[in-house]
Amino acid sequence: MNKPLRRIAIFCGVLIFALLARTNYLQYVKADELNTRDENRRVRIERYAHERGNIIVDGKSITGSKETEDSDFKYKRVWKNGPMWAPVTGYSSQAFDASQLEKIEDGILTGNDDQLFFNRTMSMFTGDDKQGGNIVTTLNGAAQKAAFEGLGKKKGAVAAIDPRTGAILALASTPSYDPSTFAGNSKSDSEAWQALLKDKDKPMQNRALRETYPPGSTFKVVTAAAALENGLYTDIDDATDSPLPWRLPQSRNDLKNEGNIPCKNASLREALRWSCNTVFGKISDDLGNEKMIEEADKFGFNKEIFTPVRTVASIYPEDNRPQNAMAGIGQASNRTTPLQMAMVAAAVANDGKLMQPYMVAERKAPNLDVIYTHEKEELSRPLSGENAQKLQEMMETVVEKGTGTRAQIPGVTVGGKTGTAQHGLNNSEKPYAWFISYAKTDNGSPVAVAVVVEDSDASRGDISGGGLAAPIAKAVMKAVIDSEK
């Protein structure tokens, strides 16, 4: 072979080798990544080529699939009472991907998950259409309805948990949205999507999991827990070392209470009953920033929680003395999600044990075989059993004869704590109304609730946790108790 032919042969060989290397790289290294990229339209076409499995509440489906026409997407997703359930299900759109359970559990719902390999293989032999599996949630339909209707036109959120297991019972966020309005691939779907993105009230924001607020006086439950756990006080009826007025450390400003309430040297029980800023601000200062962070962390602060839907981290901040004192009463840089405050109430109600929150109880194959069952898991122990029972007594006093009387349920023991959180520059915005609570029956505590009302038609002076949020919490607790009968 002469020299020019030899060079051409070598060049062609290199090209063939490069082609083979590239082909194998794409087929065996990058295949999974390319097959699951959101930009890959074939993935979405496959996702909607069959009826999706369903999301189940109380044994009934809250989702479905509808056959479409004139589209390469054969089916589209539909929801029953979409606005009420959107904070739980998320959306699944032919044009705009998916979110929350619809996204996280997409493998089961489409039937593509490896756990469903046997079902897919059997379908190949039997000739049956491919089917998706089902997701069985922990949600309680009556509690979710009470939460959603209780919020009504107000902006806010509700999270409810079974303290004994960590099962999420309700997760409402308002204003909400109907995922059915943009589930397809048409011009009207696109217009609905754009309108939601531009809405200043952020209806697609899951306020129960993804919005943080100053917790206000509801955080005094955590501060009281820190005082008991660190031995600062042991008897909840003994007088505390709490002068009135009490000056913020390293400051010329006195910390004020709301009105002329009996807070001078008030016991822990009376201080929580009257929501004394001076008592709990001083406790936070006496303990110091490090111990306050340590106790908040035990309740779940400062880390993301996966339910499996991710929640943003609630924050108890590293801060200087005056700011730490303010954070101890739920102000300054203290920020929390409603789910986090439901976890606080749940831990107290469950004798100090905090269970991992979760909302998927089971995953089922298309033939209804159970392929996954959640096992309850202890997340932490923020309180000893003895101190938890002391804090229960304090919270039950709040509901019996304190600021939370509107949460009372006849024949049921209820513990709670109100909060009215300031926000905005120089407290210029309407305050957030908070209420956290739990109910107890002969079977223990089946429900703990956190409610935040971010905005309402009420005038500024009429906004309070006891007035706006407590009745919503009561309705949710009552719905859970009634459903257990």
Side-chain angles (χ1 to χ4, degrees), residues 26 90 117 135 194 199 232 252 267 298 332 370 418-419 436 444:
L26 291 175
F117 175 78
I135 302 299
Q194 291 301 325
D199 192 325
L232 185 62
R252 296 180 178 177
S267 67
K298 290 180 184 175
V370 176
T418 55
I436 65 171

Side-chain angles (χ1 to χ4, degrees), residues 470-485:
I472 300 172
K474 174 184 175 178
V476 174
M477 290 187 291
K478 191 171 185 308
V480 173
I481 292 169
D482 290 346
S483 65
E484 287 205 340
K485 292 178 180 176

Side-chain angles (χ1 to χ4, degrees), residues 12 42 48 68 91 109 126 155 163 172 175 184 211 228 248 256 259 279 283 363 369 380 384 388 395 409 477:
C12 290
R42 287 178 299 179
Y48 299 105
T68 59
Y91 59 82
L109 295 169
T126 61
K155 191 186 298 183
E211 192 73 72
L228 293 169
L248 285 165
K256 297 180 179 178
V279 175
I283 286 174
R363 299 186 181 106
D369 284 349
S380 62
S384 67
M395 292 179 70
I409 302 173
M477 290 187 291

Side-chain angles (χ1 to χ4, degrees), residues 291-311:
K291 288 182 179 177
M292 286 298 296
I293 291 174
E294 185 179 316
E295 185 63 22
D297 285 354
K298 290 180 184 175
F299 277 103
F301 278 73
N302 297 318
K303 58 178 174 285
E304 294 176 334
I305 304 291
F306 293 85
T307 68
V309 178
R310 180 183 64 84
T311 72

Side-chain angles (χ1 to χ4, degrees), residues 295-356:
E295 185 63 22
D297 285 354
K298 290 180 184 175
F299 277 103
F301 278 73
N302 297 318
K303 58 178 174 285
E304 294 176 334
I305 304 291
F306 293 85
T307 68
V309 178
R310 180 183 64 84
T311 72
V312 297
S314 299
I315 302 297
Y316 189 91
E318 289 186 26
D319 227 327
N320 56 34
R321 280 188 65 189
Q323 290 296 297
N324 176 62
M326 293 299 294
I329 62 169
Q331 296 290 167
S333 299
N334 190 340
R335 307 282 298 184
T336 183
T337 63
L339 179 70
Q340 173 62 76
M341 293 314 294
M343 291 165 63
V344 169
V348 175
N350 196 36
D351 292 336
K353 287 187 291 186
L354 177 61
M355 307 304 289
Q356 171 73 41

Side-chain angles (χ1 to χ4, degrees), residues 430-447:
K430 284 185 178 180
Y432 299 131
W434 275 95
F435 192 73
I436 65 171
S437 61
Y438 62 84
K440 287 196 296 190
T441 67
D442 294 339
N443 296 322
S445 178
V447 57

